Amino acid sequence: MADYYPVLARAVAGLDPTSSESRREIYERARKALVQQLRSLDPPLTESEITRERLSLEDAVRRIEAEARPRPTAPAPGAAAVAMAAAPAIAAKAEAPV
C-alpha cells in the first residue's frame, strides 16, 4: 500500500490555505488518476486491492484536511483573570433595576 500523504501534501502546499475548493479539486484529480492507473495494471488488481489503495488515499486526504483546519486561538495570558475580575461588575449591572 502506497503512502499518498507526501505527494498530496506537496500538491496542496502552494495553495492558499483558506482555499478548500482548490484542495478538493486536487483530491478529485488524484482519485481519478489513481483508479485509472490501478485499473490499467497488468496483471489486474483485485477489487479489494483497489479499494485498499483508494482508502489509503482517503486517509491522506483526511490528514491534510485536519492539518488545514484553523486552530482555535488561545486567549492571551491573563485574559481569564481579567474576565473573572470584571464578572461581578457585569453581574451587578445586569441585576440593576431599569
Side-chain angles (χ1 to χ4, degrees):
M1 184 166 31
D3 181 9
Y4 299 103
Y5 175 81
V7 174
L8 282 178
R10 274 194 304 274
V12 300
L15 300 176
D16 175 0
T18 62
S19 178
S20 62
E21 184 60 35
S22 295
R23 290 193 310 276
R24 275 192 291 260
E25 289 173 8
I26 287 175
Y27 303 149
E28 195 54 38
R29 281 188 293 183
R31 289 177 183 113
K32 288 177 184 177
L34 176 66
V35 170
Q36 182 179 9
Q37 182 180 16
L38 294 175
R39 293 206 185 280
S40 70
L41 293 176
D42 190 27
L45 296 177
T46 65
E47 283 304 311
S48 65
E49 290 170 318
I50 292 172
T51 298
R52 190 173 24 248
E53 290 301 317
R54 291 174 71 189
L55 290 173
S56 180
L57 177 67
E58 293 307 318
D59 285 342
V61 168
R62 279 191 292 278
R63 185 173 163 197
I64 291 168
E65 284 302 297
E67 292 170 358
R69 268 188 230 115
R71 304 275 190 263
T73 56
V82 171
M84 292 298 286
I90 294 170
K93 231 181 195 182
E95 293 174 2
V98 188

